[in-house]
Amino acid sequence: MNAPTDLSMKTDDVLRVELEVFRREHRDLDEAIQALAERRHGDQLTLQRLKKRKLRLKDVIAQIEDRLTPDIIA
């Protein structure tokens, strides 16, 4: 994942595209983790790394969603 953490320099259109790419990657990681976990003798180190990567992606997705969602004061 090579996403720069500074979202302020990116346009909303770029962020929307990146958001879809990151969501797709997150789903793919979820499927890979599930497949690896179902194997009795799966590589635990690989499984741990995939889970950490998935969590980092989740954080990036949340940051982008926050940036794209306007603040509404009720």
Side-chain angles (χ1 to χ4, degrees):
M1 188 176 77
N2 297 330
T5 56
D6 185 15
L7 301 177
S8 64
M9 300 300 290
K10 296 182 180 182
T11 66
D12 286 355
D13 291 334
V14 170
L15 289 174
R16 284 187 188 93
V17 170
E18 285 185 350
L19 182 60
E20 286 306 312
V21 169
F22 293 148
R23 284 179 176 162
R24 187 176 311 121
E25 186 176 350
H26 189 268
R27 282 190 303 269
D28 292 345
L29 281 170
D30 194 37
E31 291 173 7
I33 289 167
Q34 185 176 6
L36 193 58
E38 288 174 358
R39 293 171 53 190
R40 293 279 183 210
H41 302 290
D43 182 3
Q44 293 301 311
L45 182 59
T46 301
L47 187 62
Q48 185 180 15
R49 287 179 179 165
L50 290 175
K51 286 181 178 182
K52 284 184 180 183
R53 185 170 175 195
K54 184 180 168 193
L55 285 173
R56 283 193 305 268
L57 267 175
K58 183 179 177 183
D59 290 342
V60 172
I61 289 169
Q63 288 175 353
I64 293 173
E65 288 173 339
D66 287 347
R67 169 74 165 40
L68 291 174
T69 305
D71 290 334
I72 300 173
I73 300 173

